[in-house]
Amino acid sequence: MIQKLLIAGMLSGFLISLAAFGYARLFAEPTIELAISMEQDADAHGTHPHEETISRNVQRNAGLFTGIASFSVALGGLLAILVAFTHGRIGVGTRASVWLVTAASYASVVVLPQLKYPASPPGVGAAETIGSRTELFFIAVLVSIASVILSIWVTLQLGRYLSFSKSALVGTVVFIGLASLAHLALPTVDEVPDAFPRELLQEFRLHAWILQVIIWGGLGVVFAEMAKYLVDNSDLDNHAVRYISPNA
């Protein structure tokens, strides 16, 4: 059954990647093209002109689809594993379990890290600070994930004495508190050139947010239906959950 959930999660990711690629190709790519053209104009007046190792035609078509599809399929598989682990532990149905896992993962992997370190188009950020900026972003992701795990642990512990809604509320408060402390503790990075158009920057970041919502939200909806169908038409609740959850 776990294998079926894993396949369903990966298939859901691939299906969602088609919609995500369509949005990125139609709406996000024009802003990237404009940012790249501005960066090339700046390089043309400098001493180190930029040379493409992969053509833009490949990047915005095959490269873009490959990246989105790979990410979405891997994410679907990971969500399937998390759903299999949490099924029967949090006292909610299959759909709700998928939605909760997806929402918690989205908050920890996307929302909180990008509130501190938002996505930036080409031409924003100094080349010599790429390493340090990448490290800070991954630190933000790890701290956010740790905050989610701790808040879930608090929710499960309180669930022994309180209703799920009350224990989940306390867990949410714990998560917000830890996330806020991490947001304040991590250093701020702002390397947007003064000459870079703010409208273009905001448009790029808006498309980046929408693309993530399409992927994560689409997975939450599609995989929830697939998972419910698999659970309703199997003996997962009678046998597999005993393997997944010792409390079942």
Side-chain angles (χ1 to χ4, degrees):
M1 187 62 210
I2 298 176
Q3 182 180 14
K4 291 181 179 179
L5 284 174
L6 181 61
I7 293 174
M10 296 174 70
L11 178 59
S12 300
F14 178 76
L15 294 176
I16 293 304
S17 71
L18 300 177
F21 169 73
Y23 178 86
R25 186 65 181 84
L26 291 175
F27 298 100
E29 271 297 313
T31 63
I32 297 176
E33 287 287 345
L34 183 56
I36 288 176
S37 66
M38 294 179 61
E39 183 182 29
Q40 290 176 339
D41 289 342
D43 289 340
H45 295 86
T47 57
H48 301 286
H50 176 71
E51 295 184 3
E52 291 183 345
T53 56
I54 302 177
S55 70
R56 277 298 298 155
N57 185 54
V58 174
Q59 292 178 27
R60 63 174 172 256
N61 291 297
L64 179 62
F65 176 73
T66 300
I68 291 178
S70 300
F71 173 76
S72 300
V73 170
L75 179 59
L78 177 59
L79 291 178
I81 295 173
L82 293 176
V83 168
F85 178 78
T86 57
H87 186 79
R89 291 176 178 265
I90 55 179
V92 297
T94 305
R95 280 198 191 99
S97 179
V98 173
W99 294 337
L100 287 173
V101 167
T102 304
S105 302
Y106 175 71
S108 61
V109 176
V110 178
V111 176
L112 289 178
Q114 289 202 9
L115 284 177
K116 184 67 178 181
Y117 304 116
S120 297
V124 172
E128 58 271 15
T129 64
I130 291 178
S132 60
R133 285 186 282 120
T134 302
E135 289 177 2
L136 286 174
F137 180 79
F138 278 107
I139 289 174
V141 172
L142 292 176
V143 171
S144 181
I145 292 175
S147 300
V148 169
I149 293 175
L150 182 57
S151 65
I152 292 175
W153 180 82
V154 170
T155 300
L156 293 176
Q157 295 303 310
L158 292 178
R160 300 176 181 178
Y161 313 102
L162 303 174
S163 66
F164 176 76
S165 59
K166 292 181 179 179
S167 59
L169 178 61
V170 175
T172 301
V173 172
V174 170
F175 171 68
I176 293 175
L178 292 174
S180 299
L181 289 175
H183 187 87
L184 294 173
L186 289 171
T188 300
V189 176
D190 185 8
E191 296 184 351
V192 180
D194 294 335
F196 195 89
R198 297 292 166 169
E199 296 81 5
L200 179 60
L201 177 65
Q202 296 304 319
E203 183 179 357
F204 174 86
R205 289 176 175 175
L206 175 62
H207 289 313
W209 275 105
I210 294 176
L211 183 60
Q212 292 289 349
V213 170
I214 291 174
I215 294 174
W216 289 82
L219 264 173
V221 173
V222 175
F223 179 51
E225 295 303 317
M226 286 190 176
K228 187 177 187 307
Y229 174 81
L230 290 174
V231 171
D232 289 347
N233 292 275
S234 72
D235 58 349
L236 178 64
D237 291 320
N238 295 326
H239 298 286
V241 170
R242 287 189 172 87
Y243 172 77
I244 299 170
S245 173
N247 298 322

